[in-house]
Amino acid sequence: MDIVVILFQASQVHAMGYTVTGSGAADISTSFDDFRNKSLPWSQKASDSGFGDLRTLEAHSLSGSSITCSISIDGKVEDRQTGTGNCFCSTTL
């Protein structure tokens, strides 16, 4: 008789932070929701346990000006991008 051992990584809950900075307002999309015409700066916190899942943040400046987005996991910035009019960030849990 063969014995097979399968190991799974336990789900750990992470503190996620989504931030968009710039001037004016922006349309913002995250992995979990869409936000329209939001005044900047904008931020959202969430708890997440989706091991191996991709998390995204996309922002479109309504004035076309410079805009910066960032995603953090447990307080550590995992991705930060700046663009003129648009920016996109992503990370994997």
Side-chain angles (χ1 to χ4, degrees):
M1 169 192 263
D2 293 333
I3 297 175
V4 177
V5 177
I6 300 173
L7 300 176
F8 294 96
Q9 180 162 344
S11 291
Q12 179 181 358
V13 176
H14 296 281
M16 302 294 297
Y18 300 86
T19 304
V20 179
T21 59
S23 60
D27 288 339
I28 301 164
S29 295
T30 67
S31 300
F32 57 89
D33 211 346
D34 293 324
F35 305 90
R36 299 290 173 233
N37 197 24
K38 291 303 198 177
S39 296
L40 300 178
W42 173 90
S43 65
Q44 183 79 31
K45 295 186 187 254
S47 296
D48 199 325
S49 61
F51 175 73
D53 292 343
L54 180 67
R55 295 295 178 250
T56 61
L57 171 61
E58 185 172 3
H60 302 280
S61 169
L62 297 181
S63 66
S65 61
S66 179
I67 192 167
T68 299
C69 64
S70 66
I71 298 178
S72 63
I73 300 175
D74 298 327
K76 179 182 177 232
V77 175
E78 297 292 331
D79 192 13
R80 176 180 286 130
Q81 301 294 325
T82 299
T84 302
N86 302 300
C87 62
F88 178 82
C89 293
S90 65
T91 191
T92 303
L93 285 177

